[in-house]
Amino acid sequence: MTDGIYTLANDQVYDQLVALLNSIEANVGVEMPVCVIAYDDRLDRVRAEIAQRPNVTLFEDPAVFARWEDFSRQVWQTHPFALERWRDQGIDGVYRLACNRRYAAFDEAAPFDRFIYFDADVLVLDSVDRIFQALDQADFAVYDFQYTDPGHIFNLDSPRLYEIFPPERVHSEIFCSGCFASKRGVFPPEQREWLVAQLASGEAEVLYLGAPNQSVLNYMRMRSNVSICNLALSLPEEQRTGNSVTSAHFERRDHRLYDHNKPLTYLHYIGLPSRLFRQVCEGENVTFPYRDLFLHYRYRHQPQERPLLEGKPRPYNQPPGFMQRVLNKLQLTR
């Protein structure tokens, strides 16, 4: 049985990808296979990076991607207004369709029997054995606190939501699609066809349009009754940690983070746009939480290339200045 780690990337998130790969190498080991799923064809820098790493491969099978993108289109064609609303917003087809390429990890042609998927904006900071061990007991394993915020998974205004999924399931089983573990073949073609039929019967209204891949993945797992283990709920309280960049209390020691003396398994820079990471790697002194930790892993093998961030620090979420507000207003009135 082959275990491995997947991520989804292109050249737009190159700096984050390098940091992720270096964090896996440092804290999991060079023996852990990693597979980068191609987000699109912008892969020149990604290919060059992978060529230097014996344990890393690139997954870019057009036939596999076509299967899952076609499934995603079928899913959203069942929704009463999603495609129309996205079209009104200037989006052609399914919003962020390429994000659904992460589903390729479930395909029979995928390389790993069991896998952990991490978004590229993640640093792995400790062993992932605990997550893989959870797959001995369940077909899905996660370690997050998304269950406290179901409004970013399902449409809470849908009267059908709690008819399909009891409230206790919604408030305990949902997860963030930026980190999850599962097994190849969990959603075979016949199961996908059945899921589309259920959505077409009226259930599609429970999906959340703001994060399509995340909503559909949660629906797929829950509607198929695939077993799940969330370590954020199953671990003893004295062993649990947070994992989100929005938590400001983590302590840094030896290039790792600790939550009240407990080591984090991973840190997710969720909600931070990829341009911030590019900007800081280009030398802009823009600040964001745990920036130095990101820079450590990004330049782990090239410390001499780490940018010197000079000048006054600028918070990434700093409100626009007066002149910028004027320019923004002029743009809006043109």
Side-chain angles (χ1 to χ4, degrees):
M1 180 174 292
T2 303
D3 292 344
I5 292 174
Y6 288 108
T7 190
L8 180 68
N10 64 5
D11 286 349
Q12 288 293 105
V13 296
Y14 172 78
D15 294 304
Q16 292 160 282
L17 173 65
V18 173
L20 169 62
L21 294 176
N22 286 341
S23 72
I24 293 170
E25 179 181 284
N27 299 316
V28 178
V30 295
E31 69 282 354
M32 173 59 70
V34 180
C35 181
V36 179
I37 299 171
Y39 182 86
D40 56 24
D41 295 332
R42 295 173 292 174
L43 296 166
D44 292 344
R45 300 182 76 192
V46 170
R47 290 183 196 279
E49 185 65 33
I50 289 175
Q52 304 174 47
R53 297 175 182 264
N55 66 315
V56 184
T57 56
L58 180 65
F59 192 89
E60 52 177 342
D61 188 323
V64 172
F65 293 158
R67 281 197 286 273
W68 291 96
E69 289 177 356
D70 183 58
F71 167 69
S72 299
R73 293 187 188 95
Q74 290 179 50
V75 164
W76 288 104
Q77 284 166 0
T78 69
H79 195 278
F81 55 79
L83 294 176
E84 180 181 357
R85 180 169 296 180
W86 289 331
R87 185 166 56 249
D88 291 343
Q89 297 171 356
I91 299 166
D92 182 19
V94 178
Y95 177 45
R96 294 182 175 174
L97 179 64
C99 286
N100 299 330
R101 287 188 174 190
R102 75 191 67 200
Y103 301 162
F106 299 111
D107 199 272
E108 291 295 342
F112 303 140
D113 297 295
R114 307 192 312 171
F115 64 85
I116 303 173
Y117 171 86
F118 289 112
D119 273 348
D121 60 345
V122 164
L123 296 178
V124 180
L125 301 174
D126 201 4
S127 168
V128 293
D129 288 349
R130 182 179 279 169
I131 300 176
F132 278 118
Q133 288 165 5
L135 292 177
D136 293 335
Q137 310 299 324
D139 289 329
F140 250 83
V142 298
Y143 191 179
D144 71 37
F145 299 84
Q146 187 68 51
Y147 62 85
T148 64
D149 182 21
H152 283 85
I153 301 295
F154 292 125
N155 173 17
L156 300 185
D157 293 328
S158 167
R160 297 204 61 178
L161 177 60
Y162 291 132
E163 295 176 7
I164 302 168
F165 304 125
E168 59 271 20
R169 291 192 65 192
V170 172
H171 292 274
S172 65
E173 296 186 21
I174 60 173
F175 60 93
C176 170
S177 64
C179 172
F180 63 93
S182 190
K183 302 171 183 178
R184 181 172 57 191
V186 165
F187 300 111
E190 59 272 17
Q191 184 65 17
R192 302 200 295 271
E193 292 175 9
W194 181 83
L195 287 166
V196 170
Q198 305 315 301
L199 290 163
S201 72
E203 294 186 6
E205 69 176 48
V206 308
L207 299 178
Y208 172 62
L209 275 61
N213 82 82
Q214 180 165 270
S215 186
V216 173
L217 184 56
N218 274 270
Y219 175 88
M220 290 164 62
R221 192 213 61 78
M222 292 179 71
R223 198 66 175 90
S224 302
N225 287 312
V226 175
S227 56
I228 190 169
C229 171
N230 187 344
L231 293 171
L233 292 170
S234 65
L235 285 174
E237 188 172 354
E238 63 272 15
Q239 296 181 25
R240 296 176 207 160
T241 73
N243 51 52
S244 174
V245 72
T246 56
S247 296
H249 66 278
F250 299 147
E251 299 177 8
R252 179 177 171 179
R253 296 183 227 148
D254 299 324
H255 312 305
R256 296 188 180 189
L257 292 180
Y258 292 80
D259 186 348
H260 298 98
N261 291 320
K262 297 169 289 188
L264 268 67
T265 302
Y266 70 96
L267 177 70
H268 191 183
Y269 289 89
I270 189 168
L272 299 188
S274 59
R275 61 176 170 77
L276 291 178
F277 300 88
R278 291 196 301 273
Q279 286 172 332
V280 77
C281 290
E282 291 167 357
E284 293 188 40
N285 197 358
V286 56
T287 65
F288 52 86
Y290 307 105
R291 181 185 71 175
D292 286 348
L293 191 68
F294 162 76
L295 287 170
H296 166 76
Y297 284 105
R298 167 61 182 88
Y299 295 99
R300 182 171 182 261
H301 293 302
Q302 301 95 15
Q304 72 282 359
E305 296 181 13
R306 180 168 171 164
L308 297 175
L309 305 177
E310 300 177 345
K312 185 178 179 180
R314 175 172 57 86
Y316 79 96
N317 55 356
Q318 183 179 42
F322 173 75
M323 286 305 299
Q324 187 61 53
R325 291 198 300 272
V326 171
L327 290 171
N328 291 344
K329 189 172 183 179
L330 289 173
Q331 285 289 113
L332 290 172
T333 56
R334 285 180 181 176

